Amino acid sequence: MNEATTLSSASHGGMLIPFDMFRLSQLAAIFGELFISKARNVLDARLVAVRHEASRILLLRIEGHVVGDDAADFWRGNPELALVTSQAVPHRVLMYWAKPGPVGERREGFLFAQRGQVIASDEATDDAPRPDGAWPVTRLCEQMRLNLDDLAAGFPGSPRVEISLVDASGYNDEQLLMTLVGRDPAAEAASAEGGTPTAAAPAGPGAMRAPAAPGARPASPAPSPRANVEEDAKRRAAEAAAEVVEQRKRAEQLQASLEHVIDPLGVIAVPAAGLGEPDLLRALVIPTIQGDLPPGLPRSLADELQGKRCDIAIAVEFLSEVFVENKPLSRPELQQRATTIELGGRSLQALEVLAPRLGYGTLLSTGKRHAFISRKLDQTLPAEVLLRILDGQG
């Protein structure tokens, strides 16, 4: 897909991550191996990275025949690209896809991945629009203060580099990153040595694909690689420590207000959280209780519940937060696959689903509201709890 012909009226997609130091060439090599294992044509495929100059956002796209004629379908059909990227970078990865039309074929969606797992996703089509009328990618752009037309066109005019997926080993990652921040690697190297910069960077795999952005200061020597690494390590350590503190506070809040219900199979916790917080919820999903109960549940119940289950019942905001056959659930698929059950005098749609990083359970739906419980459909379902969640009271 040529950058010059990428328009907001065309299908587009890609990944957005905070701009940071990481090995672009290594990521390109991983992508290449992934597609080769699928017997896909990657001879002309390349990873394109563009830094949005007004923010710290890096747009990653793949160009070449491997993408095909519909970029949105390509990105929607290859979520593993986001999963492997989220293992290579220290931040969450946002993969998106957007197909503007024609009428009846519009589709917008995204997923967030972190540490190799999908932690949230959303999608809307003309056949299954969002109740509030908002389109996911359009809304994301508003929240991130990005222009949708600029995103579709690949942030035209911004610093850009390209790496071949077939032969990524010949690229200099430090030079690639310097180009993305708007600095001329050749000029800075010459300045650091006390010489004069050459007229152009040498050709070859490590050659830069974009000139330095306005405002670059070639007279300033580049920080040494060791200094960059040490500074980056300190920053990441500080971010990790802050994240641990924030996660601890969130866990304490959840435990302080944790509701629960006892039934013949065990205890059902009703946490004030969402499926996008699996690290907080995993401790509450126990097939067989042995020893202490999870924090937030009364210790006095430990003896009574030995050998029984601990489950969660929780509201599901978006169907795409749960998976069926390794794909985010959509409304048409729910209608096609779900069975109708009677629960507490109400008719509900029920479907076995996978909650990422939590395990299998049952999705119950009124058509407008949805709830997840970490029990299979053939196990006892707590009607009062689930109906309260489905009525928006949980």
Side-chain angles (χ1 to χ4, degrees):
M1 187 179 298
N2 188 290
E3 182 185 13
T5 60
T6 304
L7 305 174
S8 59
S9 59
S11 171
H12 58 102
M15 290 183 287
L16 295 167
I17 60 174
F19 180 64
D20 207 338
M21 290 183 62
F22 69 96
R23 294 185 60 187
L24 280 165
S25 64
Q26 183 181 55
L27 187 62
I30 293 172
F31 288 171
E33 292 174 2
L34 184 64
F35 286 125
I36 290 172
S37 70
K38 295 182 176 183
R40 304 283 291 275
N41 177 13
V42 293
L43 292 178
D44 67 341
R46 56 202 179 276
L47 171 64
V48 178
V50 187
R51 181 180 67 85
H52 189 235
E53 292 188 280
S55 65
R56 292 184 63 249
I57 294 177
L58 189 68
L59 170 64
L60 299 177
R61 282 182 173 165
I62 294 175
E63 296 184 356
H65 286 93
V66 70
V67 177
D69 297 328
D70 193 317
D73 282 351
F74 168 81
W75 289 101
R76 182 175 183 268
N78 291 278
E80 62 273 19
L81 294 175
L83 302 185
V84 298
T85 302
S86 71
Q87 293 176 310
V89 302
H91 303 287
R92 292 183 180 182
V93 173
L94 167 62
M95 173 185 280
Y96 85 93
W97 52 91
K99 183 187 298 186
V103 176
E105 297 183 12
R106 182 177 180 183
R107 180 189 297 274
E108 286 188 11
F110 66 82
L111 65 82
F112 279 98
Q114 186 174 26
R115 299 173 186 172
Q117 298 284 342
V118 175
I119 59 174
S121 60
D122 191 16
E123 186 175 63
T125 65
D126 281 336
D127 294 334
R130 293 288 304 279
D132 58 4
W135 288 85
V137 177
T138 302
R139 184 180 60 182
L140 273 177
C141 284
E142 293 172 354
Q143 294 172 343
M144 300 172 71
R145 298 182 181 180
L146 297 176
N147 183 287
L148 183 60
D149 291 341
D150 287 346
L151 176 61
F155 300 147
S158 297
R160 163 188 172 113
V161 297
E162 299 180 5
I163 308 100
S164 168
L165 300 194
V166 176
D167 183 16
S169 61
Y171 293 80
N172 184 310
D173 286 293
E174 186 177 3
Q175 291 183 349
L176 294 172
L177 292 169
M178 288 175 65
T179 297
L180 286 173
V181 299
R183 289 152 61 175
D184 184 347
E188 296 208 8
S191 176
E193 294 173 1
T196 57
T198 56
M208 297 300 102
R209 310 301 174 99
R217 294 177 294 179
S220 302
S224 69
R226 180 181 179 84
N228 282 336
V229 170
E230 291 178 350
E231 180 181 345
D232 186 57
K234 291 179 181 178
R235 181 185 53 75
R236 290 189 185 183
E239 290 178 351
E243 184 178 348
V244 169
V245 171
E246 185 62 30
Q247 194 79 344
R248 186 181 298 120
K249 289 181 179 178
R250 182 73 182 97
E252 291 173 352
Q253 292 173 353
L254 184 148
Q255 294 162 15
S257 59
L258 186 59
E259 298 182 25
H260 69 277
V261 175
I262 305 293
D263 77 353
L265 290 187
V267 58
I268 304 101
V270 187
L275 288 178
E277 300 177 285
D279 290 336
L280 296 176
L281 299 176
R282 276 184 298 179
L284 297 170
V285 181
I286 306 174
T288 305
I289 297 172
Q290 296 178 344
D292 294 336
L293 298 181
L297 294 175
R299 294 184 178 181
S300 58
L301 296 176
D303 290 341
E304 175 187 347
L305 294 172
Q306 291 302 299
K308 295 187 177 183
R309 300 178 56 88
C310 182
D311 291 289
I312 60 168
I314 194 168
V316 176
E317 186 174 0
F318 306 121
L319 289 176
S320 52
E321 290 183 292
V322 295
F323 282 52
V324 172
E325 294 183 353
N326 296 321
K327 292 182 180 179
L329 180 62
S330 64
R331 189 174 298 275
E333 195 163 18
L334 172 64
Q335 294 172 346
Q336 179 183 356
R337 290 175 173 269
T339 58
T340 301
I341 67 169
E342 294 291 325
L343 189 68
R346 301 265 293 275
S347 293
L348 303 173
Q349 292 177 304
L351 179 65
E352 182 176 312
V353 296
L354 172 67
R357 299 175 66 186
L358 292 175
Y360 286 94
T362 300
L363 180 85
L364 297 160
S365 175
T366 65
K368 294 184 178 180
R369 293 183 182 274
H370 323 289
F372 171 83
I373 182 168
S374 56
R375 290 183 179 179
K376 299 292 185 68
L377 191 54
D378 59 358
Q379 295 173 319
T380 301
L381 301 179
E384 182 179 350
V385 171
L386 290 168
L387 291 178
R388 182 156 53 89
I389 293 174
L390 291 170
D391 289 336
Q393 301 172 7

